[in-house]
Amino acid sequence: MSGIESFGLTLLIVSAVISLALVSNRISSALRVPAPAIFLVAAAAASDLVPSLRQVSLGVVENVVTVALVVILFDGGMTIGVRKLRAALGAVVSIGVLGTFLTAGALAVAAHLLFGLPWLLALLLGAALSPTDPAVVFSVLGNREITGRAGTTIQGESGANDPVGIALLLSLAGVTTSAGFGDAFLGVLGKFAVEMAVGAAVGLVGGWLPLQLVRRVEMPSEGLYPLRTLAISFVLYGAATLAHGSGFLAVFIAGVLVGDAAAPFKREIERFHSSLASLAEIVAFVILGLTVSLSSLFTTNAWWIGLVLAILLTFVVRPLVVGPLLLATHMPWGERVFVIWSGLKGAVPILLGTYILASGRGADVVAYEVIFVVVLFSVVVQGGLMPMVAARCGIGMRERPPRPWALGIRTNEEPAGGRRFRISPGAPAAGRTVDDLHLGEDIWVSLVVRRGRQLRIRGDLTLEQDDEVLADPDSERKAAALFTARSQQ
């Protein structure tokens, strides 16, 4: 077979795999198993059937997954935005930072006492399993709307604690066994603090930069605007990393700042990054799955250790760690239980496992396989049961089907004051007339779309939940409070 034919065969196989993965959501819905689990298991099974697939080097795997996480975190930050994150900021910071440390410590103690793992390896394993995963969380929640602060808290935690977990593991990886406990502990804290501070600073500056470029520097084609924001996200990651900061935190913060800001071609930018993040999720889980042999899990005791740690993490460690941290948020008990349950593991723990695996020692290989088992349990069991747990906790979770048609007007200048809102269930505006808003709330409504049909604006038109509204408010914060349920603010 000639070189060009071999390359054509490779493209055929890769494109066929991606095409099958893109329709896997239908299989996922039928089986009630999140799509990332299907990607992960299918790739691992393929590597058993065709051992040559497992020859991808760890360096390539780490680089590919890193690129995928940059894309996923930036899109996740834009999905949340400043307005939604502000309401859940306390919970996100507490469980994203302190919760990650406590979870890593608790898992390390369990791994050492129950299975005799050396302390350093147990700490590395705990650090790898402590962060939740944005790829899985955004995949499970991406087409579902959740009432209250629970959804924002879960998404914010998954974006915030990934940089924390990665920085923690890399700091621990630099510890030598000869170092004293005090020196090692101070070294880990110092390196961690520098990574977080530098990453946050780069993210705050980087969130401002793309908005200025989009608003002030015109491009010859609308298709170039999303490419520019993508390039900027990688610039931020690279700049923060070179400055010894957390590139993942910088990208996530920048995405949050961009999320709510008005900018030309904003919808095109959002759609582009959402599509790219979906592709990045597929690529990350497939290439990570290729690094694991399903048959080897049962020739060692990795499956047993992983299953025990997964059960402890889900039903003991996370409730004991995250539960108390959520008390200060004054969330309803149902939302707190749902957040505790929804600490999904995924690509990030497996990526961190590759850092452990890079040392090449036998015990580290077992640790990597343990991480795979924990992730598989989390995605299948926790992710698959999230709708049921939400129902038991009284959390509104409903499917948000894609809407293929759009209604809008293009303008050369930024519209003065016009903003789009969707009336959420329980919002103060639901059940009120247009006259009520014009006279009592100083908000001018110029467009109402209900179930795909534009309504004629009359004073006695009563607004309903799920109506799409184009309004000109005196205060955007006041309008957001009017069209959004109080529990979601």
Side-chain angles (χ1 to χ4, degrees), residues 174-211:
V175 175
T176 61
T177 55
S178 61
F181 175 79
D183 293 339
F185 181 74
L186 291 177
V188 169
L189 285 184
K191 187 173 181 180
F192 173 81
V194 169
E195 288 207 27
M196 292 295 101
V198 173
V202 173
L204 290 172
V205 174
W208 173 84
L209 177 62
L211 289 175

PDB file of all heavy atoms in Angstrom, residues 174-211:
ATOM      1  N   GLY A 174       6.889  16.585  42.277  1.00  0.00           N
ATOM      2  CA  GLY A 174       8.239  17.116  42.465  1.00  0.00           C
ATOM      3  C   GLY A 174       8.827  16.820  43.823  1.00  0.00           C
ATOM      4  O   GLY A 174       9.983  17.154  44.100  1.00  0.00           O
ATOM      5  N   VAL A 175       8.046  16.175  44.699  1.00  0.00           N
ATOM      6  CA  VAL A 175       8.531  15.845  46.039  1.00  0.00           C
ATOM      7  C   VAL A 175       9.394  14.594  45.972  1.00  0.00           C
ATOM      8  O   VAL A 175       9.018  13.601  45.336  1.00  0.00           O
ATOM      9  CB  VAL A 175       7.342  15.621  47.005  1.00  0.00           C
ATOM     10  CG1 VAL A 175       7.850  15.146  48.369  1.00  0.00           C
ATOM     11  CG2 VAL A 175       6.548  16.903  47.159  1.00  0.00           C
ATOM     12  N   THR A 176      10.511  14.604  46.603  1.00  0.00           N
ATOM     13  CA  THR A 176      11.365  13.422  46.678  1.00  0.00           C
ATOM     14  C   THR A 176      11.111  12.687  47.988  1.00  0.00           C
ATOM     15  O   THR A 176      10.734  13.292  48.985  1.00  0.00           O
ATOM     16  CB  THR A 176      12.852  13.807  46.592  1.00  0.00           C
ATOM     17  OG1 THR A 176      13.168  14.660  47.706  1.00  0.00           O
ATOM     18  CG2 THR A 176      13.135  14.558  45.291  1.00  0.00           C
ATOM     19  N   THR A 177      11.326  11.401  47.969  1.00  0.00           N
ATOM     20  CA  THR A 177      11.086  10.608  49.178  1.00  0.00           C
ATOM     21  C   THR A 177      12.051  10.955  50.300  1.00  0.00           C
ATOM     22  O   THR A 177      11.784  10.671  51.461  1.00  0.00           O
ATOM     23  CB  THR A 177      11.211   9.113  48.846  1.00  0.00           C
ATOM     24  OG1 THR A 177      12.485   8.881  48.237  1.00  0.00           O
ATOM     25  CG2 THR A 177      10.121   8.679  47.878  1.00  0.00           C
ATOM     26  N   SER A 178      13.171  11.595  49.955  1.00  0.00           N
ATOM     27  CA  SER A 178      14.147  11.957  50.982  1.00  0.00           C
ATOM     28  C   SER A 178      13.805  13.258  51.686  1.00  0.00           C
ATOM     29  O   SER A 178      14.391  13.586  52.717  1.00  0.00           O
ATOM     30  CB  SER A 178      15.541  12.059  50.356  1.00  0.00           C
ATOM     31  OG  SER A 178      15.562  13.059  49.345  1.00  0.00           O
ATOM     32  N   ALA A 179      12.886  14.024  51.128  1.00  0.00           N
ATOM     33  CA  ALA A 179      12.526  15.303  51.727  1.00  0.00           C
ATOM     34  C   ALA A 179      11.736  15.088  53.009  1.00  0.00           C
ATOM     35  O   ALA A 179      10.936  14.164  53.120  1.00  0.00           O
ATOM     36  CB  ALA A 179      11.698  16.125  50.740  1.00  0.00           C
ATOM     37  N   GLY A 180      11.983  15.962  53.994  1.00  0.00           N
ATOM     38  CA  GLY A 180      11.225  15.902  55.231  1.00  0.00           C
ATOM     39  C   GLY A 180       9.783  16.296  54.995  1.00  0.00           C
ATOM     40  O   GLY A 180       9.464  17.007  54.034  1.00  0.00           O
ATOM     41  N   PHE A 181       8.905  15.872  55.906  1.00  0.00           N
ATOM     42  CA  PHE A 181       7.476  16.150  55.717  1.00  0.00           C
ATOM     43  C   PHE A 181       7.194  17.650  55.691  1.00  0.00           C
ATOM     44  O   PHE A 181       6.450  18.147  54.853  1.00  0.00           O
ATOM     45  CB  PHE A 181       6.671  15.485  56.834  1.00  0.00           C
ATOM     46  CG  PHE A 181       5.200  15.809  56.784  1.00  0.00           C
ATOM     47  CD1 PHE A 181       4.363  15.160  55.886  1.00  0.00           C
ATOM     48  CD2 PHE A 181       4.659  16.791  57.615  1.00  0.00           C
ATOM     49  CE1 PHE A 181       3.010  15.464  55.827  1.00  0.00           C
ATOM     50  CE2 PHE A 181       3.312  17.097  57.560  1.00  0.00           C
ATOM     51  CZ  PHE A 181       2.492  16.428  56.667  1.00  0.00           C
ATOM     52  N   GLY A 182       7.818  18.386  56.629  1.00  0.00           N
ATOM     53  CA  GLY A 182       7.574  19.829  56.697  1.00  0.00           C
ATOM     54  C   GLY A 182       8.026  20.549  55.450  1.00  0.00           C
ATOM     55  O   GLY A 182       7.305  21.373  54.886  1.00  0.00           O
ATOM     56  N   ASP A 183       9.250  20.228  55.005  1.00  0.00           N
ATOM     57  CA  ASP A 183       9.772  20.871  53.792  1.00  0.00           C
ATOM     58  C   ASP A 183       8.927  20.509  52.572  1.00  0.00           C
ATOM     59  O   ASP A 183       8.649  21.357  51.716  1.00  0.00           O
ATOM     60  CB  ASP A 183      11.224  20.445  53.555  1.00  0.00           C
ATOM     61  CG  ASP A 183      12.157  20.980  54.631  1.00  0.00           C
ATOM     62  OD1 ASP A 183      11.790  21.965  55.293  1.00  0.00           O
ATOM     63  OD2 ASP A 183      13.250  20.391  54.805  1.00  0.00           O
ATOM     64  N   ALA A 184       8.532  19.232  52.487  1.00  0.00           N
ATOM     65  CA  ALA A 184       7.727  18.795  51.348  1.00  0.00           C
ATOM     66  C   ALA A 184       6.370  19.498  51.341  1.00  0.00           C
ATOM     67  O   ALA A 184       5.896  19.955  50.298  1.00  0.00           O
ATOM     68  CB  ALA A 184       7.538  17.279  51.394  1.00  0.00           C
ATOM     69  N   PHE A 185       5.764  19.613  52.524  1.00  0.00           N
ATOM     70  CA  PHE A 185       4.446  20.247  52.617  1.00  0.00           C
ATOM     71  C   PHE A 185       4.515  21.719  52.229  1.00  0.00           C
ATOM     72  O   PHE A 185       3.687  22.221  51.463  1.00  0.00           O
ATOM     73  CB  PHE A 185       3.915  20.099  54.043  1.00  0.00           C
ATOM     74  CG  PHE A 185       2.553  20.692  54.246  1.00  0.00           C
ATOM     75  CD1 PHE A 185       1.423  20.069  53.740  1.00  0.00           C
ATOM     76  CD2 PHE A 185       2.398  21.888  54.944  1.00  0.00           C
ATOM     77  CE1 PHE A 185       0.164  20.620  53.921  1.00  0.00           C
ATOM     78  CE2 PHE A 185       1.148  22.442  55.132  1.00  0.00           C
ATOM     79  CZ  PHE A 185       0.025  21.804  54.622  1.00  0.00           C
ATOM     80  N   LEU A 186       5.526  22.422  52.729  1.00  0.00           N
ATOM     81  CA  LEU A 186       5.676  23.841  52.388  1.00  0.00           C
ATOM     82  C   LEU A 186       5.984  24.022  50.911  1.00  0.00           C
ATOM     83  O   LEU A 186       5.507  24.971  50.269  1.00  0.00           O
ATOM     84  CB  LEU A 186       6.791  24.463  53.237  1.00  0.00           C
ATOM     85  CG  LEU A 186       6.495  24.603  54.737  1.00  0.00           C
ATOM     86  CD1 LEU A 186       7.709  25.160  55.470  1.00  0.00           C
ATOM     87  CD2 LEU A 186       5.288  25.513  54.968  1.00  0.00           C
ATOM     88  N   GLY A 187       6.786  23.107  50.368  1.00  0.00           N
ATOM     89  CA  GLY A 187       7.090  23.189  48.944  1.00  0.00           C
ATOM     90  C   GLY A 187       5.866  23.012  48.072  1.00  0.00           C
ATOM     91  O   GLY A 187       5.678  23.727  47.080  1.00  0.00           O
ATOM     92  N   VAL A 188       5.019  22.049  48.436  1.00  0.00           N
ATOM     93  CA  VAL A 188       3.779  21.822  47.689  1.00  0.00           C
ATOM     94  C   VAL A 188       2.870  23.039  47.771  1.00  0.00           C
ATOM     95  O   VAL A 188       2.322  23.509  46.757  1.00  0.00           O
ATOM     96  CB  VAL A 188       3.060  20.566  48.216  1.00  0.00           C
ATOM     97  CG1 VAL A 188       1.652  20.480  47.633  1.00  0.00           C
ATOM     98  CG2 VAL A 188       3.838  19.316  47.860  1.00  0.00           C
ATOM     99  N   LEU A 189       2.686  23.596  48.967  1.00  0.00           N
ATOM    100  CA  LEU A 189       1.818  24.770  49.129  1.00  0.00           C
ATOM    101  C   LEU A 189       2.355  25.970  48.363  1.00  0.00           C
ATOM    102  O   LEU A 189       1.586  26.717  47.735  1.00  0.00           O
ATOM    103  CB  LEU A 189       1.675  25.115  50.611  1.00  0.00           C
ATOM    104  CG  LEU A 189       0.778  24.213  51.453  1.00  0.00           C
ATOM    105  CD1 LEU A 189       0.671  24.753  52.883  1.00  0.00           C
ATOM    106  CD2 LEU A 189      -0.625  24.123  50.846  1.00  0.00           C
ATOM    107  N   GLY A 190       3.674  26.176  48.417  1.00  0.00           N
ATOM    108  CA  GLY A 190       4.260  27.316  47.723  1.00  0.00           C
ATOM    109  C   GLY A 190       4.085  27.228  46.215  1.00  0.00           C
ATOM    110  O   GLY A 190       3.673  28.201  45.569  1.00  0.00           O
ATOM    111  N   LYS A 191       4.372  26.062  45.654  1.00  0.00           N
ATOM    112  CA  LYS A 191       4.222  25.885  44.211  1.00  0.00           C
ATOM    113  C   LYS A 191       2.763  25.994  43.801  1.00  0.00           C
ATOM    114  O   LYS A 191       2.439  26.599  42.770  1.00  0.00           O
ATOM    115  CB  LYS A 191       4.790  24.532  43.794  1.00  0.00           C
ATOM    116  CG  LYS A 191       4.832  24.324  42.283  1.00  0.00           C
ATOM    117  CD  LYS A 191       5.548  23.038  41.914  1.00  0.00           C
ATOM    118  CE  LYS A 191       5.606  22.861  40.402  1.00  0.00           C
ATOM    119  NZ  LYS A 191       6.307  21.618  40.010  1.00  0.00           N
ATOM    120  N   PHE A 192       1.890  25.435  44.613  1.00  0.00           N
ATOM    121  CA  PHE A 192       0.461  25.500  44.314  1.00  0.00           C
ATOM    122  C   PHE A 192      -0.041  26.948  44.320  1.00  0.00           C
ATOM    123  O   PHE A 192      -0.781  27.365  43.426  1.00  0.00           O
ATOM    124  CB  PHE A 192      -0.312  24.675  45.337  1.00  0.00           C
ATOM    125  CG  PHE A 192      -1.811  24.810  45.236  1.00  0.00           C
ATOM    126  CD1 PHE A 192      -2.518  24.086  44.290  1.00  0.00           C
ATOM    127  CD2 PHE A 192      -2.502  25.664  46.071  1.00  0.00           C
ATOM    128  CE1 PHE A 192      -3.885  24.216  44.178  1.00  0.00           C
ATOM    129  CE2 PHE A 192      -3.873  25.796  45.977  1.00  0.00           C
ATOM    130  CZ  PHE A 192      -4.559  25.066  45.027  1.00  0.00           C
ATOM    131  N   ALA A 193       0.375  27.720  45.339  1.00  0.00           N
ATOM    132  CA  ALA A 193      -0.076  29.114  45.447  1.00  0.00           C
ATOM    133  C   ALA A 193       0.384  29.936  44.249  1.00  0.00           C
ATOM    134  O   ALA A 193      -0.372  30.763  43.710  1.00  0.00           O
ATOM    135  CB  ALA A 193       0.445  29.730  46.747  1.00  0.00           C
ATOM    136  N   VAL A 194       1.629  29.712  43.811  1.00  0.00           N
ATOM    137  CA  VAL A 194       2.140  30.451  42.651  1.00  0.00           C
ATOM    138  C   VAL A 194       1.336  30.110  41.403  1.00  0.00           C
ATOM    139  O   VAL A 194       0.947  31.003  40.631  1.00  0.00           O
ATOM    140  CB  VAL A 194       3.640  30.139  42.440  1.00  0.00           C
ATOM    141  CG1 VAL A 194       4.119  30.683  41.101  1.00  0.00           C
ATOM    142  CG2 VAL A 194       4.468  30.728  43.570  1.00  0.00           C
ATOM    143  N   GLU A 195       1.057  28.828  41.183  1.00  0.00           N
ATOM    144  CA  GLU A 195       0.304  28.420  39.992  1.00  0.00           C
ATOM    145  C   GLU A 195      -1.089  29.032  39.987  1.00  0.00           C
ATOM    146  O   GLU A 195      -1.571  29.500  38.950  1.00  0.00           O
ATOM    147  CB  GLU A 195       0.220  26.895  39.935  1.00  0.00           C
ATOM    148  CG  GLU A 195       1.532  26.219  39.583  1.00  0.00           C
ATOM    149  CD  GLU A 195       1.313  24.877  38.914  1.00  0.00           C
ATOM    150  OE1 GLU A 195       0.263  24.678  38.285  1.00  0.00           O
ATOM    151  OE2 GLU A 195       2.215  24.032  39.022  1.00  0.00           O
ATOM    152  N   MET A 196      -1.757  29.031  41.130  1.00  0.00           N
ATOM    153  CA  MET A 196      -3.107  29.580  41.187  1.00  0.00           C
ATOM    154  C   MET A 196      -3.103  31.098  40.982  1.00  0.00           C
ATOM    155  O   MET A 196      -3.931  31.640  40.233  1.00  0.00           O
ATOM    156  CB  MET A 196      -3.757  29.253  42.536  1.00  0.00           C
ATOM    157  CG  MET A 196      -4.062  27.781  42.759  1.00  0.00           C
ATOM    158  SD  MET A 196      -5.318  27.123  41.629  1.00  0.00           S
ATOM    159  CE  MET A 196      -4.268  26.280  40.429  1.00  0.00           C
ATOM    160  N   ALA A 197      -2.185  31.795  41.633  1.00  0.00           N
ATOM    161  CA  ALA A 197      -2.146  33.256  41.536  1.00  0.00           C
ATOM    162  C   ALA A 197      -1.820  33.711  40.120  1.00  0.00           C
ATOM    163  O   ALA A 197      -2.489  34.601  39.563  1.00  0.00           O
ATOM    164  CB  ALA A 197      -1.123  33.816  42.528  1.00  0.00           C
ATOM    165  N   VAL A 198      -0.804  33.108  39.523  1.00  0.00           N
ATOM    166  CA  VAL A 198      -0.414  33.494  38.166  1.00  0.00           C
ATOM    167  C   VAL A 198      -1.517  33.138  37.169  1.00  0.00           C
ATOM    168  O   VAL A 198      -1.856  33.929  36.283  1.00  0.00           O
ATOM    169  CB  VAL A 198       0.915  32.821  37.774  1.00  0.00           C
ATOM    170  CG1 VAL A 198       1.240  33.082  36.299  1.00  0.00           C
ATOM    171  CG2 VAL A 198       2.051  33.324  38.647  1.00  0.00           C
ATOM    172  N   GLY A 199      -2.091  31.941  37.319  1.00  0.00           N
ATOM    173  CA  GLY A 199      -3.165  31.543  36.412  1.00  0.00           C
ATOM    174  C   GLY A 199      -4.364  32.462  36.494  1.00  0.00           C
ATOM    175  O   GLY A 199      -4.952  32.831  35.461  1.00  0.00           O
ATOM    176  N   ALA A 200      -4.751  32.854  37.713  1.00  0.00           N
ATOM    177  CA  ALA A 200      -5.895  33.764  37.876  1.00  0.00           C
ATOM    178  C   ALA A 200      -5.597  35.127  37.257  1.00  0.00           C
ATOM    179  O   ALA A 200      -6.465  35.726  36.602  1.00  0.00           O
ATOM    180  CB  ALA A 200      -6.231  33.909  39.355  1.00  0.00           C
ATOM    181  N   ALA A 201      -4.374  35.629  37.466  1.00  0.00           N
ATOM    182  CA  ALA A 201      -4.025  36.942  36.917  1.00  0.00           C
ATOM    183  C   ALA A 201      -4.054  36.926  35.387  1.00  0.00           C
ATOM    184  O   ALA A 201      -4.599  37.831  34.744  1.00  0.00           O
ATOM    185  CB  ALA A 201      -2.638  37.356  37.418  1.00  0.00           C
ATOM    186  N   VAL A 202      -3.473  35.895  34.796  1.00  0.00           N
ATOM    187  CA  VAL A 202      -3.471  35.787  33.330  1.00  0.00           C
ATOM    188  C   VAL A 202      -4.904  35.646  32.810  1.00  0.00           C
ATOM    189  O   VAL A 202      -5.265  36.230  31.784  1.00  0.00           O
ATOM    190  CB  VAL A 202      -2.603  34.599  32.871  1.00  0.00           C
ATOM    191  CG1 VAL A 202      -2.742  34.381  31.368  1.00  0.00           C
ATOM    192  CG2 VAL A 202      -1.147  34.830  33.234  1.00  0.00           C
ATOM    193  N   GLY A 203      -5.741  34.887  33.519  1.00  0.00           N
ATOM    194  CA  GLY A 203      -7.129  34.715  33.089  1.00  0.00           C
ATOM    195  C   GLY A 203      -7.920  36.002  33.143  1.00  0.00           C
ATOM    196  O   GLY A 203      -8.732  36.285  32.245  1.00  0.00           O
ATOM    197  N   LEU A 204      -7.701  36.808  34.186  1.00  0.00           N
ATOM    198  CA  LEU A 204      -8.430  38.080  34.308  1.00  0.00           C
ATOM    199  C   LEU A 204      -8.029  39.048  33.193  1.00  0.00           C
ATOM    200  O   LEU A 204      -8.881  39.696  32.592  1.00  0.00           O
ATOM    201  CB  LEU A 204      -8.160  38.704  35.680  1.00  0.00           C
ATOM    202  CG  LEU A 204      -8.785  37.976  36.877  1.00  0.00           C
ATOM    203  CD1 LEU A 204      -8.294  38.572  38.187  1.00  0.00           C
ATOM    204  CD2 LEU A 204     -10.311  38.044  36.801  1.00  0.00           C
ATOM    205  N   VAL A 205      -6.735  39.122  32.928  1.00  0.00           N
ATOM    206  CA  VAL A 205      -6.282  39.983  31.827  1.00  0.00           C
ATOM    207  C   VAL A 205      -6.730  39.406  30.495  1.00  0.00           C
ATOM    208  O   VAL A 205      -7.193  40.121  29.601  1.00  0.00           O
ATOM    209  CB  VAL A 205      -4.747  40.133  31.871  1.00  0.00           C
ATOM    210  CG1 VAL A 205      -4.259  40.910  30.641  1.00  0.00           C
ATOM    211  CG2 VAL A 205      -4.310  40.838  33.140  1.00  0.00           C
ATOM    212  N   GLY A 206      -6.626  38.090  30.363  1.00  0.00           N
ATOM    213  CA  GLY A 206      -6.999  37.443  29.114  1.00  0.00           C
ATOM    214  C   GLY A 206      -8.471  37.511  28.805  1.00  0.00           C
ATOM    215  O   GLY A 206      -8.870  37.479  27.636  1.00  0.00           O
ATOM    216  N   GLY A 207      -9.321  37.577  29.837  1.00  0.00           N
ATOM    217  CA  GLY A 207     -10.747  37.734  29.584  1.00  0.00           C
ATOM    218  C   GLY A 207     -11.080  39.087  29.005  1.00  0.00           C
ATOM    219  O   GLY A 207     -12.064  39.235  28.252  1.00  0.00           O
ATOM    220  N   TRP A 208     -10.288  40.087  29.345  1.00  0.00           N
ATOM    221  CA  TRP A 208     -10.509  41.434  28.828  1.00  0.00           C
ATOM    222  C   TRP A 208      -9.972  41.552  27.402  1.00  0.00           C
ATOM    223  O   TRP A 208     -10.582  42.231  26.563  1.00  0.00           O
ATOM    224  CB  TRP A 208      -9.804  42.429  29.752  1.00  0.00           C
ATOM    225  CG  TRP A 208      -9.802  43.853  29.258  1.00  0.00           C
ATOM    226  CD1 TRP A 208     -10.793  44.785  29.410  1.00  0.00           C
ATOM    227  CD2 TRP A 208      -8.748  44.500  28.541  1.00  0.00           C
ATOM    228  NE1 TRP A 208     -10.418  45.961  28.829  1.00  0.00           N
ATOM    229  CE2 TRP A 208      -9.173  45.821  28.289  1.00  0.00           C
ATOM    230  CE3 TRP A 208      -7.500  44.088  28.091  1.00  0.00           C
ATOM    231  CZ2 TRP A 208      -8.367  46.728  27.605  1.00  0.00           C
ATOM    232  CZ3 TRP A 208      -6.709  44.987  27.398  1.00  0.00           C
ATOM    233  CH2 TRP A 208      -7.148  46.294  27.172  1.00  0.00           C
ATOM    234  N   LEU A 209      -8.849  40.901  27.112  1.00  0.00           N
ATOM    235  CA  LEU A 209      -8.191  41.057  25.812  1.00  0.00           C
ATOM    236  C   LEU A 209      -9.051  40.615  24.629  1.00  0.00           C
ATOM    237  O   LEU A 209      -9.200  41.385  23.664  1.00  0.00           O
ATOM    238  CB  LEU A 209      -6.864  40.288  25.818  1.00  0.00           C
ATOM    239  CG  LEU A 209      -6.080  40.277  24.501  1.00  0.00           C
ATOM    240  CD1 LEU A 209      -5.680  41.687  24.120  1.00  0.00           C
ATOM    241  CD2 LEU A 209      -4.849  39.379  24.620  1.00  0.00           C
ATOM    242  N   PRO A 210      -9.634  39.397  24.625  1.00  0.00           N
ATOM    243  CA  PRO A 210     -10.393  38.994  23.433  1.00  0.00           C
ATOM    244  C   PRO A 210     -11.610  39.870  23.181  1.00  0.00           C
ATOM    245  O   PRO A 210     -11.978  40.098  22.024  1.00  0.00           O
ATOM    246  CB  PRO A 210     -10.812  37.548  23.739  1.00  0.00           C
ATOM    247  CG  PRO A 210     -10.701  37.411  25.204  1.00  0.00           C
ATOM    248  CD  PRO A 210      -9.590  38.314  25.614  1.00  0.00           C
ATOM    249  N   LEU A 211     -12.216  40.382  24.240  1.00  0.00           N
ATOM    250  CA  LEU A 211     -13.372  41.264  24.044  1.00  0.00           C
ATOM    251  C   LEU A 211     -12.965  42.549  23.340  1.00  0.00           C
ATOM    252  O   LEU A 211     -13.680  43.044  22.460  1.00  0.00           O
ATOM    253  CB  LEU A 211     -14.019  41.591  25.393  1.00  0.00           C
ATOM    254  CG  LEU A 211     -14.770  40.438  26.066  1.00  0.00           C
ATOM    255  CD1 LEU A 211     -15.253  40.859  27.440  1.00  0.00           C
ATOM    256  CD2 LEU A 211     -15.944  40.000  25.202  1.00  0.00           C
TER     257      LEU A 211
END
